[in-house]
PDB file of all heavy atoms in Angstrom:
ATOM      1  N   ASP A1011      12.704   2.474 -13.118  1.00 55.00           N
ATOM      2  CA  ASP A1011      11.637   1.768 -12.453  1.00 55.00           C
ATOM      3  C   ASP A1011      11.328   2.463 -11.091  1.00 55.00           C
ATOM      4  O   ASP A1011      12.120   2.469 -10.155  1.00 55.00           O
ATOM      5  CB  ASP A1011      12.123   0.331 -12.145  1.00 55.00           C
ATOM      6  CG  ASP A1011      11.067  -0.522 -11.440  1.00 55.00           C
ATOM      7  OD1 ASP A1011       9.955   0.016 -11.272  1.00 55.00           O
ATOM      8  OD2 ASP A1011      11.394  -1.672 -11.088  1.00 55.00           O
ATOM      9  N   ILE A1012      10.121   3.121 -11.045  1.00 54.00           N
ATOM     10  CA  ILE A1012       9.800   3.865  -9.819  1.00 54.00           C
ATOM     11  C   ILE A1012       9.582   2.938  -8.617  1.00 54.00           C
ATOM     12  O   ILE A1012       9.643   3.396  -7.504  1.00 54.00           O
ATOM     13  CB  ILE A1012       8.538   4.748 -10.049  1.00 54.00           C
ATOM     14  CG1 ILE A1012       7.342   3.869 -10.277  1.00 54.00           C
ATOM     15  CG2 ILE A1012       8.772   5.729 -11.187  1.00 54.00           C
ATOM     16  CD1 ILE A1012       6.040   4.640 -10.235  1.00 54.00           C
ATOM     17  N   PHE A1013       9.364   1.653  -8.875  1.00 57.00           N
ATOM     18  CA  PHE A1013       9.099   0.757  -7.770  1.00 57.00           C
ATOM     19  C   PHE A1013      10.377   0.100  -7.274  1.00 57.00           C
ATOM     20  O   PHE A1013      10.309  -0.650  -6.265  1.00 57.00           O
ATOM     21  CB  PHE A1013       8.138  -0.348  -8.215  1.00 57.00           C
ATOM     22  CG  PHE A1013       6.790   0.151  -8.617  1.00 57.00           C
ATOM     23  CD1 PHE A1013       6.384   0.178  -9.940  1.00 57.00           C
ATOM     24  CD2 PHE A1013       5.899   0.657  -7.670  1.00 57.00           C
ATOM     25  CE1 PHE A1013       5.149   0.632 -10.302  1.00 57.00           C
ATOM     26  CE2 PHE A1013       4.631   1.114  -8.013  1.00 57.00           C
ATOM     27  CZ  PHE A1013       4.279   1.129  -9.342  1.00 57.00           C
ATOM     28  N   ALA A1014      11.510   0.398  -7.867  1.00 60.00           N
ATOM     29  CA  ALA A1014      12.763  -0.218  -7.441  1.00 60.00           C
ATOM     30  C   ALA A1014      13.053  -0.051  -5.993  1.00 60.00           C
ATOM     31  O   ALA A1014      13.585  -1.010  -5.341  1.00 60.00           O
ATOM     32  CB  ALA A1014      13.890   0.332  -8.300  1.00 60.00           C
ATOM     33  N   PRO A1015      12.776   1.063  -5.338  1.00 63.00           N
ATOM     34  CA  PRO A1015      13.108   1.158  -3.899  1.00 63.00           C
ATOM     35  C   PRO A1015      12.388   0.151  -3.036  1.00 63.00           C
ATOM     36  O   PRO A1015      12.850  -0.138  -1.928  1.00 63.00           O
ATOM     37  CB  PRO A1015      12.661   2.582  -3.555  1.00 63.00           C
ATOM     38  CG  PRO A1015      12.724   3.364  -4.838  1.00 63.00           C
ATOM     39  CD  PRO A1015      12.310   2.375  -5.880  1.00 63.00           C
ATOM     40  N   LEU A1016      11.244  -0.379  -3.516  1.00 62.00           N
ATOM     41  CA  LEU A1016      10.526  -1.408  -2.739  1.00 62.00           C
ATOM     42  C   LEU A1016      11.026  -2.810  -2.964  1.00 62.00           C
ATOM     43  O   LEU A1016      10.633  -3.732  -2.226  1.00 62.00           O
ATOM     44  CB  LEU A1016       9.028  -1.353  -3.059  1.00 62.00           C
ATOM     45  CG  LEU A1016       8.290  -0.085  -2.605  1.00 62.00           C
ATOM     46  CD1 LEU A1016       6.827  -0.185  -2.940  1.00 62.00           C
ATOM     47  CD2 LEU A1016       8.481   0.186  -1.136  1.00 62.00           C
ATOM     48  N   GLY A1017      11.887  -3.018  -3.987  1.00 61.00           N
ATOM     49  CA  GLY A1017      12.381  -4.353  -4.209  1.00 61.00           C
ATOM     50  C   GLY A1017      11.609  -5.111  -5.235  1.00 61.00           C
ATOM     51  O   GLY A1017      11.094  -4.568  -6.172  1.00 61.00           O
ATOM     52  N   PRO A1018      11.470  -6.426  -5.021  1.00 68.00           N
ATOM     53  CA  PRO A1018      10.750  -7.312  -5.992  1.00 68.00           C
ATOM     54  C   PRO A1018       9.286  -6.901  -6.190  1.00 68.00           C
ATOM     55  O   PRO A1018       8.697  -6.294  -5.320  1.00 68.00           O
ATOM     56  CB  PRO A1018      10.871  -8.729  -5.354  1.00 68.00           C
ATOM     57  CG  PRO A1018      11.993  -8.589  -4.350  1.00 68.00           C
ATOM     58  CD  PRO A1018      11.996  -7.193  -3.865  1.00 68.00           C
ATOM     59  N   PRO A1019       8.686  -7.390  -7.339  1.00 70.00           N
ATOM     60  CA  PRO A1019       7.288  -7.016  -7.602  1.00 70.00           C
ATOM     61  C   PRO A1019       6.336  -7.387  -6.535  1.00 70.00           C
ATOM     62  O   PRO A1019       5.357  -6.633  -6.265  1.00 70.00           O
ATOM     63  CB  PRO A1019       7.032  -7.760  -8.900  1.00 70.00           C
ATOM     64  CG  PRO A1019       8.359  -7.949  -9.567  1.00 70.00           C
ATOM     65  CD  PRO A1019       9.314  -8.057  -8.448  1.00 70.00           C
ATOM     66  N   GLU A1020       6.557  -8.515  -5.877  1.00 73.00           N
ATOM     67  CA  GLU A1020       5.608  -8.965  -4.864  1.00 73.00           C
ATOM     68  C   GLU A1020       5.520  -7.953  -3.703  1.00 73.00           C
ATOM     69  O   GLU A1020       4.480  -7.823  -3.009  1.00 73.00           O
ATOM     70  CB  GLU A1020       5.898 -10.350  -4.304  1.00 73.00           C
ATOM     71  CG  GLU A1020       7.257 -10.466  -3.689  1.00 73.00           C
ATOM     72  CD  GLU A1020       8.299 -10.983  -4.697  1.00 73.00           C
ATOM     73  OE1 GLU A1020       8.118 -10.774  -5.910  1.00 73.00           O
ATOM     74  OE2 GLU A1020       9.323 -11.562  -4.244  1.00 73.00           O
ATOM     75  N   LEU A1021       6.609  -7.208  -3.447  1.00 79.00           N
ATOM     76  CA  LEU A1021       6.613  -6.234  -2.375  1.00 79.00           C
ATOM     77  C   LEU A1021       5.819  -4.983  -2.771  1.00 79.00           C
ATOM     78  O   LEU A1021       5.138  -4.411  -1.890  1.00 79.00           O
ATOM     79  CB  LEU A1021       8.063  -5.864  -1.987  1.00 79.00           C
ATOM     80  CG  LEU A1021       8.856  -6.978  -1.262  1.00 79.00           C
ATOM     81  CD1 LEU A1021      10.202  -6.447  -0.854  1.00 79.00           C
ATOM     82  CD2 LEU A1021       8.093  -7.519  -0.056  1.00 79.00           C
ATOM     83  N   TRP A1022       5.924  -4.540  -3.991  1.00 79.00           N
ATOM     84  CA  TRP A1022       5.106  -3.313  -4.326  1.00 79.00           C
ATOM     85  C   TRP A1022       3.673  -3.676  -4.491  1.00 79.00           C
ATOM     86  O   TRP A1022       2.792  -2.839  -4.312  1.00 79.00           O
ATOM     87  CB  TRP A1022       5.659  -2.530  -5.497  1.00 79.00           C
ATOM     88  CG  TRP A1022       5.912  -3.188  -6.854  1.00 79.00           C
ATOM     89  CD1 TRP A1022       7.090  -3.574  -7.367  1.00 79.00           C
ATOM     90  CD2 TRP A1022       4.922  -3.356  -7.855  1.00 79.00           C
ATOM     91  NE1 TRP A1022       6.871  -4.023  -8.637  1.00 79.00           N
ATOM     92  CE2 TRP A1022       5.584  -3.915  -8.984  1.00 79.00           C
ATOM     93  CE3 TRP A1022       3.557  -3.107  -7.939  1.00 79.00           C
ATOM     94  CZ2 TRP A1022       4.929  -4.234 -10.151  1.00 79.00           C
ATOM     95  CZ3 TRP A1022       2.878  -3.430  -9.096  1.00 79.00           C
ATOM     96  CH2 TRP A1022       3.548  -3.999 -10.216  1.00 79.00           C
ATOM     97  N   ILE A1023       3.353  -4.955  -4.875  1.00 86.00           N
ATOM     98  CA  ILE A1023       1.948  -5.414  -4.821  1.00 86.00           C
ATOM     99  C   ILE A1023       1.441  -5.380  -3.411  1.00 86.00           C
ATOM    100  O   ILE A1023       0.311  -4.935  -3.160  1.00 86.00           O
ATOM    101  CB  ILE A1023       1.814  -6.774  -5.487  1.00 86.00           C
ATOM    102  CG1 ILE A1023       2.135  -6.745  -6.977  1.00 86.00           C
ATOM    103  CG2 ILE A1023       0.436  -7.384  -5.253  1.00 86.00           C
ATOM    104  CD1 ILE A1023       2.224  -8.096  -7.636  1.00 86.00           C
ATOM    105  N   PHE A1024       2.270  -5.804  -2.511  1.00 87.00           N
ATOM    106  CA  PHE A1024       1.943  -5.765  -1.103  1.00 87.00           C
ATOM    107  C   PHE A1024       1.701  -4.331  -0.627  1.00 87.00           C
ATOM    108  O   PHE A1024       0.772  -4.029   0.159  1.00 87.00           O
ATOM    109  CB  PHE A1024       3.002  -6.438  -0.251  1.00 87.00           C
ATOM    110  CG  PHE A1024       2.764  -6.483   1.215  1.00 87.00           C
ATOM    111  CD1 PHE A1024       1.537  -6.935   1.700  1.00 87.00           C
ATOM    112  CD2 PHE A1024       3.719  -6.106   2.130  1.00 87.00           C
ATOM    113  CE1 PHE A1024       1.285  -7.031   3.055  1.00 87.00           C
ATOM    114  CE2 PHE A1024       3.492  -6.187   3.505  1.00 87.00           C
ATOM    115  CZ  PHE A1024       2.238  -6.626   3.960  1.00 87.00           C
ATOM    116  N   ALA A1025       2.498  -3.398  -1.186  1.00 88.00           N
ATOM    117  CA  ALA A1025       2.321  -2.002  -0.817  1.00 88.00           C
ATOM    118  C   ALA A1025       0.969  -1.494  -1.306  1.00 88.00           C
ATOM    119  O   ALA A1025       0.311  -0.683  -0.656  1.00 88.00           O
ATOM    120  CB  ALA A1025       3.470  -1.166  -1.458  1.00 88.00           C
ATOM    121  N   TYR A1026       0.534  -1.949  -2.492  1.00 92.00           N
ATOM    122  CA  TYR A1026      -0.804  -1.571  -3.020  1.00 92.00           C
ATOM    123  C   TYR A1026      -1.881  -2.094  -2.095  1.00 92.00           C
ATOM    124  O   TYR A1026      -2.892  -1.396  -1.812  1.00 92.00           O
ATOM    125  CB  TYR A1026      -0.987  -2.081  -4.418  1.00 92.00           C
ATOM    126  CG  TYR A1026      -0.637  -1.132  -5.530  1.00 92.00           C
ATOM    127  CD1 TYR A1026       0.667  -0.508  -5.498  1.00 92.00           C
ATOM    128  CD2 TYR A1026      -1.466  -0.856  -6.571  1.00 92.00           C
ATOM    129  CE1 TYR A1026       0.981   0.404  -6.471  1.00 92.00           C
ATOM    130  CE2 TYR A1026      -1.135   0.022  -7.594  1.00 92.00           C
ATOM    131  CZ  TYR A1026       0.099   0.673  -7.506  1.00 92.00           C
ATOM    132  OH  TYR A1026       0.434   1.551  -8.476  1.00 92.00           O
ATOM    133  N   VAL A1027      -1.718  -3.320  -1.657  1.00 93.00           N
ATOM    134  CA  VAL A1027      -2.746  -3.933  -0.744  1.00 93.00           C
ATOM    135  C   VAL A1027      -2.765  -3.149   0.569  1.00 93.00           C
ATOM    136  O   VAL A1027      -3.872  -2.842   1.095  1.00 93.00           O
ATOM    137  CB  VAL A1027      -2.408  -5.389  -0.436  1.00 93.00           C
ATOM    138  CG1 VAL A1027      -3.356  -5.964   0.623  1.00 93.00           C
ATOM    139  CG2 VAL A1027      -2.521  -6.208  -1.741  1.00 93.00           C
ATOM    140  N   ILE A1028      -1.657  -2.733   1.091  1.00 93.00           N
ATOM    141  CA  ILE A1028      -1.580  -1.898   2.338  1.00 93.00           C
ATOM    142  C   ILE A1028      -2.332  -0.596   2.104  1.00 93.00           C
ATOM    143  O   ILE A1028      -3.109  -0.142   2.941  1.00 93.00           O
ATOM    144  CB  ILE A1028      -0.134  -1.698   2.763  1.00 93.00           C
ATOM    145  CG1 ILE A1028       0.506  -3.018   3.232  1.00 93.00           C
ATOM    146  CG2 ILE A1028      -0.053  -0.668   3.903  1.00 93.00           C
ATOM    147  CD1 ILE A1028       2.008  -2.907   3.462  1.00 93.00           C
ATOM    148  N   ALA A1029      -2.026   0.090   0.975  1.00 94.00           N
ATOM    149  CA  ALA A1029      -2.708   1.375   0.681  1.00 94.00           C
ATOM    150  C   ALA A1029      -4.208   1.185   0.571  1.00 94.00           C
ATOM    151  O   ALA A1029      -4.946   2.071   1.016  1.00 94.00           O
ATOM    152  CB  ALA A1029      -2.128   1.957  -0.611  1.00 94.00           C
ATOM    153  N   LEU A1030      -4.663   0.129  -0.046  1.00 96.00           N
ATOM    154  CA  LEU A1030      -6.118  -0.140  -0.221  1.00 96.00           C
ATOM    155  C   LEU A1030      -6.719  -0.317   1.214  1.00 96.00           C
ATOM    156  O   LEU A1030      -7.773   0.265   1.536  1.00 96.00           O
ATOM    157  CB  LEU A1030      -6.300  -1.367  -1.026  1.00 96.00           C
ATOM    158  CG  LEU A1030      -7.800  -1.796  -1.240  1.00 96.00           C
ATOM    159  CD1 LEU A1030      -8.603  -0.770  -1.954  1.00 96.00           C
ATOM    160  CD2 LEU A1030      -7.884  -3.156  -1.940  1.00 96.00           C
ATOM    161  N   ALA A1031      -6.104  -1.139   2.033  1.00 94.00           N
ATOM    162  CA  ALA A1031      -6.607  -1.393   3.355  1.00 94.00           C
ATOM    163  C   ALA A1031      -6.576  -0.115   4.205  1.00 94.00           C
ATOM    164  O   ALA A1031      -7.570   0.165   4.959  1.00 94.00           O
ATOM    165  CB  ALA A1031      -5.736  -2.470   4.047  1.00 94.00           C
ATOM    166  N   ALA A1032      -5.559   0.675   4.042  1.00 93.00           N
ATOM    167  CA  ALA A1032      -5.457   1.897   4.790  1.00 93.00           C
ATOM    168  C   ALA A1032      -6.571   2.868   4.408  1.00 93.00           C
ATOM    169  O   ALA A1032      -7.169   3.597   5.236  1.00 93.00           O
ATOM    170  CB  ALA A1032      -4.034   2.571   4.576  1.00 93.00           C
ATOM    171  N   GLY A1033      -6.854   2.926   3.125  1.00 95.00           N
ATOM    172  CA  GLY A1033      -7.961   3.821   2.621  1.00 95.00           C
ATOM    173  C   GLY A1033      -9.311   3.319   3.157  1.00 95.00           C
ATOM    174  O   GLY A1033     -10.125   4.200   3.552  1.00 95.00           O
ATOM    175  N   ILE A1034      -9.535   2.027   3.194  1.00 95.00           N
ATOM    176  CA  ILE A1034     -10.834   1.523   3.713  1.00 95.00           C
ATOM    177  C   ILE A1034     -11.035   1.938   5.188  1.00 95.00           C
ATOM    178  O   ILE A1034     -12.081   2.434   5.615  1.00 95.00           O
ATOM    179  CB  ILE A1034     -10.939   0.014   3.549  1.00 95.00           C
ATOM    180  CG1 ILE A1034     -11.034  -0.353   2.038  1.00 95.00           C
ATOM    181  CG2 ILE A1034     -12.111  -0.551   4.328  1.00 95.00           C
ATOM    182  CD1 ILE A1034     -10.938  -1.856   1.767  1.00 95.00           C
ATOM    183  N   ILE A1035      -9.970   1.694   5.979  1.00 91.00           N
ATOM    184  CA  ILE A1035     -10.065   1.999   7.419  1.00 91.00           C
ATOM    185  C   ILE A1035     -10.207   3.493   7.618  1.00 91.00           C
ATOM    186  O   ILE A1035     -11.000   3.933   8.420  1.00 91.00           O
ATOM    187  CB  ILE A1035      -8.850   1.403   8.111  1.00 91.00           C
ATOM    188  CG1 ILE A1035      -8.926  -0.100   8.103  1.00 91.00           C
ATOM    189  CG2 ILE A1035      -8.826   1.927   9.587  1.00 91.00           C
ATOM    190  CD1 ILE A1035      -7.715  -0.827   8.651  1.00 91.00           C
ATOM    191  N   LYS A1036      -9.494   4.276   6.858  1.00 91.00           N
ATOM    192  CA  LYS A1036      -9.635   5.759   6.968  1.00 91.00           C
ATOM    193  C   LYS A1036     -11.042   6.207   6.634  1.00 91.00           C
ATOM    194  O   LYS A1036     -11.634   7.089   7.240  1.00 91.00           O
ATOM    195  CB  LYS A1036      -8.645   6.417   6.053  1.00 91.00           C
ATOM    196  CG  LYS A1036      -8.711   7.951   6.119  1.00 91.00           C
ATOM    197  CD  LYS A1036      -7.575   8.612   5.409  1.00 91.00           C
ATOM    198  CE  LYS A1036      -7.710  10.143   5.426  1.00 91.00           C
ATOM    199  NZ  LYS A1036      -7.736  10.684   6.756  1.00 91.00           N
ATOM    200  N   GLY A1037     -11.633   5.577   5.589  1.00 93.00           N
ATOM    201  CA  GLY A1037     -12.986   5.919   5.227  1.00 93.00           C
ATOM    202  C   GLY A1037     -13.994   5.599   6.319  1.00 93.00           C
ATOM    203  O   GLY A1037     -14.991   6.278   6.462  1.00 93.00           O
ATOM    204  N   VAL A1038     -13.745   4.537   7.069  1.00 91.00           N
ATOM    205  CA  VAL A1038     -14.670   4.102   8.141  1.00 91.00           C
ATOM    206  C   VAL A1038     -14.549   5.003   9.353  1.00 91.00           C
ATOM    207  O   VAL A1038     -15.554   5.472   9.901  1.00 91.00           O
ATOM    208  CB  VAL A1038     -14.416   2.634   8.488  1.00 91.00           C
ATOM    209  CG1 VAL A1038     -15.324   2.269   9.714  1.00 91.00           C
ATOM    210  CG2 VAL A1038     -14.732   1.712   7.316  1.00 91.00           C
ATOM    211  N   VAL A1039     -13.324   5.235   9.848  1.00 87.00           N
ATOM    212  CA  VAL A1039     -13.156   5.894  11.126  1.00 87.00           C
ATOM    213  C   VAL A1039     -12.514   7.328  11.002  1.00 87.00           C
ATOM    214  O   VAL A1039     -12.419   8.015  11.990  1.00 87.00           O
ATOM    215  CB  VAL A1039     -12.286   5.074  12.098  1.00 87.00           C
ATOM    216  CG1 VAL A1039     -13.015   3.790  12.454  1.00 87.00           C
ATOM    217  CG2 VAL A1039     -10.920   4.777  11.560  1.00 87.00           C
ATOM    218  N   GLY A1040     -12.033   7.691   9.805  1.00 88.00           N
ATOM    219  CA  GLY A1040     -11.560   9.039   9.581  1.00 88.00           C
ATOM    220  C   GLY A1040     -10.066   9.208   9.724  1.00 88.00           C
ATOM    221  O   GLY A1040      -9.553  10.360   9.522  1.00 88.00           O
ATOM    222  N   PHE A1041      -9.358   8.177  10.128  1.00 83.00           N
ATOM    223  CA  PHE A1041      -7.945   8.346  10.326  1.00 83.00           C
ATOM    224  C   PHE A1041      -7.232   7.004  10.050  1.00 83.00           C
ATOM    225  O   PHE A1041      -7.871   6.054   9.536  1.00 83.00           O
ATOM    226  CB  PHE A1041      -7.592   8.798  11.729  1.00 83.00           C
ATOM    227  CG  PHE A1041      -7.802   7.766  12.789  1.00 83.00           C
ATOM    228  CD1 PHE A1041      -6.724   7.097  13.359  1.00 83.00           C
ATOM    229  CD2 PHE A1041      -9.110   7.403  13.217  1.00 83.00           C
ATOM    230  CE1 PHE A1041      -6.945   6.125  14.313  1.00 83.00           C
ATOM    231  CE2 PHE A1041      -9.280   6.396  14.178  1.00 83.00           C
ATOM    232  CZ  PHE A1041      -8.233   5.785  14.719  1.00 83.00           C
ATOM    233  N   ALA A1042      -5.958   6.942  10.382  1.00 79.00           N
ATOM    234  CA  ALA A1042      -5.163   5.680  10.417  1.00 79.00           C
ATOM    235  C   ALA A1042      -4.467   5.407   9.069  1.00 79.00           C
ATOM    236  O   ALA A1042      -3.736   4.412   8.974  1.00 79.00           O
ATOM    237  CB  ALA A1042      -5.996   4.434  10.824  1.00 79.00           C
ATOM    238  N   MET A1043      -4.677   6.147   8.009  1.00 87.00           N
ATOM    239  CA  MET A1043      -3.962   5.911   6.796  1.00 87.00           C
ATOM    240  C   MET A1043      -2.455   6.010   6.990  1.00 87.00           C
ATOM    241  O   MET A1043      -1.709   5.083   6.647  1.00 87.00           O
ATOM    242  CB  MET A1043      -4.407   6.776   5.658  1.00 87.00           C
ATOM    243  CG  MET A1043      -3.551   6.644   4.395  1.00 87.00           C
ATOM    244  SD  MET A1043      -4.271   7.425   2.947  1.00 87.00           S
ATOM    245  CE  MET A1043      -5.409   6.129   2.459  1.00 87.00           C
ATOM    246  N   PRO A1044      -1.972   7.150   7.572  1.00 81.00           N
ATOM    247  CA  PRO A1044      -0.533   7.199   7.769  1.00 81.00           C
ATOM    248  C   PRO A1044      -0.023   6.118   8.764  1.00 81.00           C
ATOM    249  O   PRO A1044       1.050   5.549   8.549  1.00 81.00           O
ATOM    250  CB  PRO A1044      -0.287   8.575   8.390  1.00 81.00           C
ATOM    251  CG  PRO A1044      -1.503   9.382   7.928  1.00 81.00           C
ATOM    252  CD  PRO A1044      -2.628   8.381   7.941  1.00 81.00           C
TER     253      PRO A1044
END
């Protein structure tokens, strides 16, 4: 399970939401994904 380091499924779903939000903000201002 590649998601095991993140713990329960709700946490890796949260990680996906964070990545999506980071991508949107990066697309708007050019930075902030990391």
Side-chain angles (χ1 to χ4, degrees):
D1011 182 3
I1012 65 168
F1013 298 107
L1016 293 184
E1020 59 268 22
L1021 290 183
W1022 57 259
I1023 292 172
F1024 183 48
Y1026 266 51
V1027 172
I1028 293 171
L1030 178 65
I1034 291 172
I1035 293 172
K1036 180 172 177 59
V1038 174
V1039 296
F1041 73 104
M1043 172 168 280

